[in-house]
Amino acid sequence: MTAIAESNMFKPIKVGPVELSNRIVMLPTTRFRNSPEHVATDAMQKLYSDRTRDAGSLVITEGTLISPKYGMYPQAPGLWSEVQAAAWKKVVDAVHQNGSFICSQLWALGRIAEPEIAKADNLPLYGPSAIHYSEEAKEAAEKSGVELVALSTEEVEQMIQEYVVAAGHALEIAGADMVEVHSANGYLLNQFVDEVSNQRTDKYGGSIENRARVVLEIIDAIGTKFGYERVGVRFTPWSTFQGMPAGDEAKISPIVTYGYLLSELERRAASGKRLAYVSTTEPRTEWWLETKGTSSFHNDWMYDIWKGVVIRSGAYFIEPSYSTALKHVNANDRTIIGSCRSFTSNPDLRTRLRKGLELTPYERKYFYAYTNYGYNTYGDYGTEKLGPDSEQATKPLTPLA
Ligand code: PHB
């Protein structure tokens, strides 16, 4: 038996309403294989189904936009319409047929959205405050003639309701097991939490409590309506992606800010309202740059505040011998290891890890392409990758609704 096969990675664990057979989860992996109308396609159904073939596995979907208002990427998925939800249902059904589980990540971009797309949609860019994340982003917005506008208090309250609608579409129409509130990696909710992007003077800005308020209100609104155990949340306290400050540059340590958020979640848990999980990424990787992070910070402290399940990620299966993954999964019985990049080119990742089989290297150049090629053309261990002219590679993406 390999060390991984014997580790906690292949022990069952309860997450929200479901019991997993293993602790290796596919995490949100942004891809552009939806229809131009942001409707999930047959290619996605195959991708998610292929990565949950071991019964009892969990996948968390790619970021799925709750509304067109907060910025779009071409062919990224949405959950604001019933048609989109009906298409997701076919993805969910395929995962359920495997005896596995699926969680929808609810996503809003905010100030980092593409100005040219906003312009085409006749929308401004929206953020907690009118603060661009870089000089280049400011220039790009100006060049497109698109303004970055602070959401009004009423608009923030409306946005909370949009999260509830999208969650309802995911849970009640698509039949997803859980939803994840994405408050990480420089996207809109992270922009509210961090003071570099939030200089508001209303109840959603200023103190830590106020900056954290919108995330907690979204969690409470979804949790009250659909059950707290069906909600997960994603925080990346140390991520410097998309204009977020490095931990040692933040005016208030992320441990303080996110410690507050986690203690609020734990307080809810104490009254029977425990979220399914908290998902995070270690600062030891800068996955968006393909560099090993230089930060010496980590997320071990989270366990002292939050007593529920923690999903940890950060190049765990890119490191030779997976020693940190093993250390972390075995150090605490509430740990799940998440992976994005390794899952792209290894549909049978769990089997390969368990048996100690070599992994197929991922290919970033296909990550954000619009084709089946480089998406559904990786096979199980021992099979050849399908070529660009293969039937699978040239299959058009067909919307599922
Ligand atoms: C994340 O879950 O942190 C995440 C999701 C979508 C992205 C990037 C990061 O495009």
Side-chain angles (χ1 to χ4, degrees), residues 146-187:
V146 169
E147 215 185 330
L148 172 56
V149 177
L151 290 161
S152 69
T153 307
E154 294 70 33
E155 282 178 310
V156 177
E157 286 162 354
Q158 280 161 17
M159 178 179 78
I160 295 169
Q161 292 317 310
E162 286 178 291
Y163 270 90
V164 176
V165 170
H169 286 163
L171 295 168
E172 301 211 310
I173 299 180
D177 300 284
M178 292 170 270
V179 292
E180 175 177 294
V181 176
H182 184 357
S183 179
N185 273 317
Y187 293 107

Side-chain angles (χ1 to χ4, degrees), residues 311-371:
I311 303 180
R312 300 182 82 161
S313 55
Y316 282 118
F317 302 128
I318 291 164
E319 181 182 70
S321 80
Y322 321 126
S323 55
T324 314
L326 276 167
K327 191 170 119 197
H328 284 176
V329 82
N330 286 336
N332 193 302
D333 200 32
R334 297 188 269 126
T335 304
I336 288 179
I337 302 291
S339 172
C340 298
R341 285 175 286 173
S342 302
F343 263 112
T344 63
S345 46
N346 298 279
D348 57 341
L349 179 66
R350 296 178 189 83
T351 306
R352 294 196 199 197
L353 292 170
R354 185 164 45 80
K355 295 188 175 167
L357 304 171
E358 205 184 325
L359 303 189
T360 300
Y362 59 86
E363 297 173 279
R364 182 173 282 271
K365 60 178 184 267
Y366 303 122
F367 281 3
Y368 307 107
Y370 299 92
T371 56

Side-chain angles (χ1 to χ4, degrees), residues 1 10 16 19 37 75 111 135 142 151 164 174 187 189 191 223-224 290 306 340 353 379 382 389:
M1 281 252 269
F10 286 95
E19 168 109 2
E37 289 74 36
Q75 291 182 236
R111 69 172 183 169
E135 209 35 57
E142 280 168 1
L151 290 161
V164 176
Y187 293 107
L189 297 184
Q191 293 158 28
T224 303
E290 289 296 333
W306 165 249
C340 298
L353 292 170
D389 300 324

Side-chain angles (χ1 to χ4, degrees), residues 65-109:
L65 299 161
I66 58 151
S67 156
K69 179 171 173 183
Y70 313 105
M72 310 257 264
Y73 287 126
Q75 291 182 236
L79 260 174
W80 63 85
S81 78
E82 291 187 9
V83 170
Q84 291 166 334
W88 271 117
K89 180 176 188 319
K90 297 191 179 157
V91 177
V92 170
D93 286 348
V95 170
H96 284 167
Q97 262 160 32
N98 288 333
S100 288
F101 307 104
I102 184 163
C103 173
S104 289
Q105 192 193 49
L106 304 181
W107 197 30
L109 309 182

